[in-house]
Amino acid sequence: MRLITKRVHMNRCNCRDSRQITLDRDFNVPDAKPDALTIMKEQGNVQIEEVRMADGKASVRGELLFQILYAVDGDMPVSEMNGSIPFEEAIPLSCANRDDELTVHPTVEDLRSELINSRKLGLKAIINLEVSAETVTDGEGAVDLEDGENVYIQKKVLDISRLAFTRKDTLRVRDEWKIPGTKDSIGQILYSDIRLGEMNTRMEENELRVDGQARLFVIYLSDSENPEMNFYENMIPIEGSLECSGCEAGMVAQVATDIHGRDLEIKEDEDGESRVLDAEIVVGFDIKVYGQEQLELLTDFYSTQEKCYPIYEDSYFENLILQNKSRARISGKILVDDRVPLQIWDVCGEIRVDRREQKENGVQVEGVLDVSVLYRTEDERIPLASVKGTLPFSQFVEADGLDETSNVWFQACLEQISGAIAGDKEIEIKAVASLEVIAFERIEEPIIANFESEPIDWKERSREPGIIGYVVQAGEKLWDIAKRFFTTIESIMEINQMENEEVKEGDILLILKEVAKLTS
């Protein structure tokens, strides 16, 4: 008699934790850059360079890449300054193993710059690092028996999710635009920003289809005898496919995206004027694809010809409960200072989730939208001004079947944002944020890993009565009674004239001894 087993490729989250770190550093303005008069806006993103397990902690090494736009007192109205702040942080992960795959999801919770003097700027940032330790394992369970004589088996069907594909990949996207005739040609780019917007993915046969967009914003000096400052904005379509070998349409994809690289170049049009912007971005994808299947596990067995003792081990499976994307519409007004806005040039924002409360039928999400608006003023000396604000939001994401043991993956992204002048002192903001939840239930199931057996003492059995009366005990099923007396469910049902297998505590059953192999 031999066990037949089956392996299931799974991704198990062993533990997840987060840590906030504060970065604070001063930077000198490079000699090639003009003096700073006032800071207008700043932006930053985190790049993770290395993450590894050491002494029960996840060691995370990376850097904050930042870009600061500041006003200049001179012929050039604004200038930008780029830099980075390296960091290394150890985050305790008590349940993680050395061989676990570590995934870091960094977010910039707060980013502020200050003007110390005309040649020195200060930058402070709060970064949240969420680290998860996952094990890609092959769960193995007995599904059947072979070569057994007079063997009776009991099975159970589980709905489980298997990890069909995991990979980190990139998609290179390139596009170009001609500056409209209503705007001056480009002499020099003073500032540029590219941000991911709405991003949709879907699984097809052996590939992940990507359909989204990124927003380009550029401030430039015109190519004229008396250069003037102007701006240009447009959307970069992101379309393409990424190879996902072995995947099928309808599978569930868990995808995180960010911008890995960017390049912006000025080109001449057919008339020889610098009116063409050529942009190339590299979008990074962290992909995990899950497929659903039914696993028929062997849960118990016995033989009427020998004593069998299944050996059980605890096994771990996951099953997809749901995938749901909810869109939160955020709106509100932010106040400006004494500099009255004439024209809005740029509106950008970051979604910050402050609290996620897991409820019986979903997740209650509370957070804020951090908004930064760049606008034109009447001030000829400092023609651009900026204002920041926060807009709170609350959204309930439906997710039936969650409990405290569920493994929940959550992602919040800003898809759209716009601003409009609502008066001398107000700017009205409208935004759409996507909140995506993918949840798995944890299934811990005892599986048969092995078994032991020994011969039946037939001489001892021959001295037992040929028929006995048995009183059903609490919790017993007909299977348990048949196994105990080396008989079959069908035999018990036949002698007791039962129509189904239902028994209850206190029922009296007649048990007929099997005599096929009894010896004297």
Side-chain angles (χ1 to χ4, degrees):
M1 191 160 46
R2 186 176 68 86
L3 289 175
I4 300 174
T5 61
K6 182 177 181 179
R7 291 180 178 271
V8 180
H9 203 49
M10 295 178 299
N11 185 63
R12 181 174 68 190
C13 182
N14 293 325
C15 58
R16 181 182 289 121
D17 206 346
S18 61
R19 173 71 59 86
Q20 278 193 344
I21 62 174
T22 300
L23 304 178
D24 188 352
R25 185 168 296 187
D26 297 339
F27 294 89
N28 293 321
V29 177
D31 293 340
K33 296 285 186 178
D35 289 354
L37 185 61
T38 184
I39 293 176
M40 316 200 74
K41 65 178 294 184
E42 62 281 302
Q43 65 171 1
N45 68 287
V46 178
Q47 287 193 356
I48 302 299
E49 297 175 348
E50 182 186 34
V51 55
R52 57 185 174 83
M53 282 298 299
D55 301 325
K57 297 180 180 180
S59 177
V60 181
R61 182 168 60 85
E63 60 179 351
L64 170 68
L65 304 177
F66 68 86
Q67 186 178 18
I68 298 176
L69 177 68
Y70 64 90
V72 175
D73 188 9
D75 295 335
M76 184 186 297
V78 296
S79 183
E80 70 173 349
M81 178 176 164
N82 301 300
S84 65
I85 304 178
F87 64 85
E88 187 167 357
E89 187 73 15
I91 302 174
L93 290 175
S94 57
C95 299
N97 301 312
R98 178 175 293 275
D99 297 330
D100 283 355
E101 179 183 349
L102 299 177
T103 302
V104 182
H105 179 59
T107 54
V108 180
E109 298 288 330
D110 192 23
L111 181 65
R112 300 180 185 275
S113 57
E114 61 176 348
L115 182 67
I116 300 174
N117 57 55
S118 62
R119 303 302 300 175
K120 180 176 286 189
L121 307 177
L123 189 73
K124 295 180 180 179
I126 298 175
I127 298 172
N128 186 70
L129 301 173
E130 184 178 83
V131 184
S132 60
E134 300 174 327
T135 303
V136 177
T137 61
D138 284 324
E140 185 174 9
V143 296
D144 211 340
L145 284 167
E146 67 177 6
D147 301 330
E149 184 178 358
N150 294 325
V151 174
Y152 300 88
I153 62 176
Q154 190 176 61
K155 293 185 177 184
K156 180 179 182 178
V157 177
L158 293 180
D159 292 319
I160 63 171
S161 300
R162 63 180 177 85
L163 181 64
F165 184 85
T166 179
R167 184 179 182 181
K168 292 183 179 180
D169 207 343
T170 58
L171 182 65
R172 193 175 296 271
V173 180
R174 190 169 187 171
D175 204 353
E176 65 177 29
W177 310 267
K178 184 176 180 180
I179 302 296
T182 55
K183 291 181 177 288
D184 296 329
S185 58
I186 305 171
Q188 178 185 354
I189 293 178
L190 303 177
Y191 176 83
S192 64
D193 182 19
I194 298 177
R195 291 173 178 261
L196 289 179
E198 182 178 1
M199 191 72 66
N200 297 306
T201 58
R202 71 178 185 276
M203 286 305 309
E204 295 187 357
E205 197 77 20
N206 293 319
E207 67 177 12
L208 177 73
R209 293 293 304 174
V210 179
D211 180 15
Q213 59 186 12
R215 180 176 176 271
L216 167 72
F217 173 74
V218 175
I219 300 176
Y220 66 93
L221 282 180
S222 62
D223 184 15
S224 58
E225 186 175 344
N226 297 309
E228 293 185 0
M229 186 171 59
N230 213 325
F231 77 97
Y232 178 76
E233 62 178 346
N234 213 322
M235 305 304 296
I236 304 173
I238 300 173
E239 297 178 351
S241 62
L242 299 171
E243 181 183 353
C244 296
S245 179
C247 295
E248 300 174 359
M251 286 184 170
V252 173
Q254 176 183 310
V255 184
T257 59
D258 61 0
I259 294 180
H260 279 194
R262 43 166 281 185
D263 186 47
L264 189 62
E265 184 181 353
I266 305 171
K267 293 183 177 180
E268 293 182 347
D269 63 8
E270 61 276 7
D271 298 323
E273 295 183 341
S274 301
R275 287 189 168 274
V276 177
L277 278 174
D278 186 302
E280 183 179 63
I281 61 173
V282 179
V283 184
F285 294 83
D286 189 349
I287 307 168
K288 290 182 174 68
V289 183
Y290 298 90
Q292 293 296 108
E293 68 177 58
Q294 287 190 325
L295 179 64
E296 191 177 47
L297 281 177
L298 181 67
T299 58
D300 198 7
F301 68 91
Y302 70 92
S303 171
T304 58
Q305 302 303 314
E306 61 179 318
K307 294 181 180 180
C308 301
Y309 306 99
I311 299 174
Y312 292 90
E313 292 182 358
D314 288 334
S315 186
Y316 173 94
F317 300 94
E318 284 193 342
N319 183 43
L320 179 71
I321 303 174
L322 64 97
Q323 180 185 31
N324 189 17
K325 179 182 285 188
S326 176
R327 285 180 168 83
R329 299 190 179 277
I330 307 169
S331 62
K333 295 180 180 179
I334 58 176
L335 298 175
V336 301
D337 57 17
D338 294 336
R339 290 172 289 183
V340 177
L342 297 180
Q343 182 187 24
I344 292 178
W345 278 27
D346 181 43
V347 182
C348 60
E350 296 287 345
I351 289 292
R352 187 173 78 239
V353 175
D354 296 327
R355 187 171 67 91
R356 299 200 310 258
E357 183 180 355
Q358 193 166 303
K359 297 189 175 182
E360 182 179 355
N361 58 343
V363 179
Q364 184 67 43
V365 181
E366 309 285 343
V368 297
L369 170 63
D370 292 320
V371 182
S372 177
V373 181
L374 188 68
Y375 60 93
R376 186 83 186 231
T377 73
E378 293 179 333
D379 192 337
E380 293 183 359
R381 182 170 176 241
I382 308 177
L384 286 182
S386 65
V387 62
K388 294 181 179 180
T390 59
L391 300 177
F393 73 91
S394 177
Q395 182 79 1
F396 183 76
V397 184
E398 292 184 0
D400 290 333
L402 295 185
D403 59 33
E404 62 277 1
T405 67
S406 300
N407 178 19
V408 179
W409 181 81
F410 180 85
Q411 180 171 250
C413 299
L414 182 64
E415 292 190 345
Q416 302 173 26
I417 187 169
S418 63
I421 300 172
D424 291 346
K425 296 292 184 179
E426 291 182 330
I427 295 176
E428 185 176 15
I429 303 296
K430 293 183 179 180
V432 177
S434 71
L435 308 172
E436 184 177 9
V437 172
I438 299 178
F440 300 86
E441 65 173 328
R442 299 174 183 269
I443 304 173
E444 293 189 14
E445 186 73 23
I447 62 170
I448 299 176
N450 206 342
F451 70 94
E452 295 176 352
S453 63
E454 63 180 69
I456 295 175
D457 188 340
W458 296 108
K459 288 185 178 181
E460 178 67 25
R461 288 220 63 201
S462 68
R463 290 191 286 269
E464 297 175 359
I467 189 168
I468 64 172
Y470 180 76
V471 179
V472 178
Q473 305 300 304
E476 279 189 323
K477 297 181 180 180
L478 210 57
W479 167 272
D480 305 310
I481 299 169
K483 179 179 179 180
R484 177 176 178 175
F485 290 99
F486 300 97
T487 185
T488 66
I489 291 176
E490 291 76 15
S491 175
I492 296 175
M493 291 179 63
E494 180 180 358
I495 194 172
N496 290 277
Q497 298 181 354
M498 299 170 62
E499 295 183 357
N500 56 59
E501 298 182 17
E502 296 297 324
V503 292
K504 61 181 183 295
E505 182 181 2
D507 285 351
I508 299 176
L509 299 176
L510 294 178
I511 308 294
L512 183 66
K513 181 172 62 177
E514 297 287 337
V515 295
K517 285 200 170 184
L518 294 184
T519 61
S520 57

